[in-house]
Amino acid sequence: MKKKTITSIITGIVIIAIFIATIMFFKDRMYLFKDVNAFKEYVLGFGNWSVPVFLLLQVLQVVVFFIPGELVQIAAGYIFGPWWGFVLCIVGSAIGGVINFIIGMILGRPFVEKLMSKKDNWIIEKLTAINEGKNHKKRLYGAIFLFYLIPGIPKDVLGYICGITSAKFIWYFVLSNLARVPAMLLSTIFGNEISNANWPLLIIIAVVVAIICVLSFFYVKKLKAKTIDKKETVEKKDETVKQDDEPAEKKDEVVIQKDETVEEKDETSVEE
């Protein structure tokens, strides 16, 4: 058995084990991600270990992406303040992003596609199409930064997808984390202002976020439709080329059969 195959099997087993362990652990604790006060009590209940515990939760939120990331980031600002909370969030996300990238790189596209919901498969198509095009490096890095920056695209799954492209790890690491900064900082500030009951600022932040989300929704919708249309056009073109090749193949078969008939006739003449 090849070394790469063994590595893939071991990685797959470890990932499955992490997913199962996380699901079992949070099965009776999902209420934590619905109530910021309950989340705060839970984290601070670890005393001096509250910071490492929160950091671990942030890493798990990125790797095991069914945990709602926005609430974790808001809770970070609510518990630790806007700046310290932001630092913990960005460090945890960076660690989780590294893990996702490596997993995607080792296990490849088939594994990543199984993680994705069907409605998000267009993201793989978009990035792989860019990855296979001309001057793909700059366009690929631009797309990675943009996808991490705008709302409406699942950020945590992106790490797995980037791992199956030709993106260099260092550029993925820098661009993905830089793009995370605005939303993450806004979330921790929002969480801090909840603890301060600063309602005017909270309303302003909520309105700004709502406007950005609406604009991003329509942009992502348009980008998704364009990607799907382009894929369908390529598939139709391939089918047309295949159909055009079929008559030529049949013609070749007729020529071969004709040649065989002539050879048989010649053999018969020689025997006579």
Side-chain angles (χ1 to χ4, degrees):
M1 191 177 289
K2 293 182 179 180
K3 186 177 179 181
K4 187 176 180 179
T5 304
I6 295 173
T7 304
S8 298
I9 292 171
I10 293 173
T11 305
I13 292 171
V14 171
I15 293 304
I16 292 170
I18 291 173
F19 268 76
I20 293 173
T22 305
I23 291 169
M24 293 300 293
F25 180 79
F26 286 109
K27 185 176 66 173
D28 299 324
R29 296 179 175 86
M30 288 307 293
Y31 68 92
L32 294 173
F33 303 104
K34 298 176 182 178
D35 183 349
V36 72
N37 285 308
F39 190 91
K40 179 179 181 178
E41 289 179 11
Y42 179 78
V43 172
L44 294 181
F46 288 92
N48 294 333
W49 289 92
S50 58
V51 170
V53 166
F54 179 85
L55 194 61
L56 177 61
L57 287 171
Q58 178 62 27
V59 173
L60 284 174
Q61 179 270 313
V62 175
V63 178
V64 188
F65 41 82
F66 67 83
I67 300 173
E70 289 76 13
L71 191 133
V72 174
Q73 292 160 20
I74 290 172
Y78 188 73
I79 300 169
F80 301 107
W83 307 113
W84 185 224
F86 168 75
V87 170
L88 290 175
C89 284
I90 199 70
V91 170
S93 294
I95 295 170
V98 169
I99 294 170
N100 290 358
F101 185 90
I102 293 172
I103 291 170
M105 186 172 59
I106 292 173
L107 298 183
R109 181 165 178 167
F111 173 79
V112 175
E113 285 180 337
K114 290 176 182 176
L115 288 178
M116 301 284 292
S117 61
K118 288 185 178 180
K119 66 182 180 67
D120 292 327
N121 278 343
W122 70 272
I123 302 172
I124 295 182
E125 298 298 336
K126 181 65 178 178
L127 289 182
T128 51
I130 293 173
N131 192 56
E132 294 166 0
K134 294 180 180 179
N135 302 319
H136 69 279
K137 286 290 185 183
K138 289 183 179 180
R139 292 179 63 227
L140 179 61
Y141 293 141
I144 289 172
F145 181 82
L146 181 65
F147 281 13
Y148 270 99
L149 180 66
I150 60 177
I153 293 178
K155 305 294 184 289
D156 304 324
V157 179
L158 268 178
Y160 292 101
I161 299 173
C162 291
I164 65 176
T165 68
S166 62
K168 290 186 177 180
F169 170 76
I170 185 63
W171 281 109
Y172 156 77
F173 182 81
V174 171
L175 292 172
S176 62
N177 287 300
L178 276 177
R180 284 180 185 270
V181 168
M184 202 168 282
L185 188 56
L186 205 59
S187 294
T188 55
I189 291 173
F190 190 84
N192 182 65
E193 296 310 318
I194 289 176
S195 65
N196 295 331
N198 189 347
W199 299 112
L201 183 56
L202 287 171
I203 292 171
I204 292 171
I205 293 174
V207 170
V208 171
V209 170
I211 293 170
I212 293 172
C213 287
V214 169
L215 294 174
S216 297
F217 171 79
F218 287 108
Y219 176 77
V220 171
K221 187 178 180 180
K222 184 178 178 181
L223 187 63
K224 180 180 178 180
K226 189 176 178 181
T227 303
I228 293 171
D229 288 344
K230 190 173 181 180
K231 183 187 176 185
E232 289 176 350
T233 302
V234 171
E235 288 175 349
K236 287 178 181 178
K237 188 176 179 181
D238 291 340
E239 286 178 6
T240 303
V241 171
K242 189 177 179 181
Q243 289 172 358
D244 290 341
D245 290 341
E246 285 178 359
E249 290 175 359
K250 289 179 180 179
K251 188 176 180 180
D252 291 339
E253 288 176 3
V254 171
V255 171
I256 292 169
Q257 289 174 357
K258 188 175 181 181
D259 290 341
E260 289 176 352
T261 304
V262 171
E263 288 177 2
E264 288 175 0
K265 189 174 180 181
D266 290 342
E267 287 176 1
T268 304
S269 298
V270 170
E271 287 176 0
E272 290 178 354

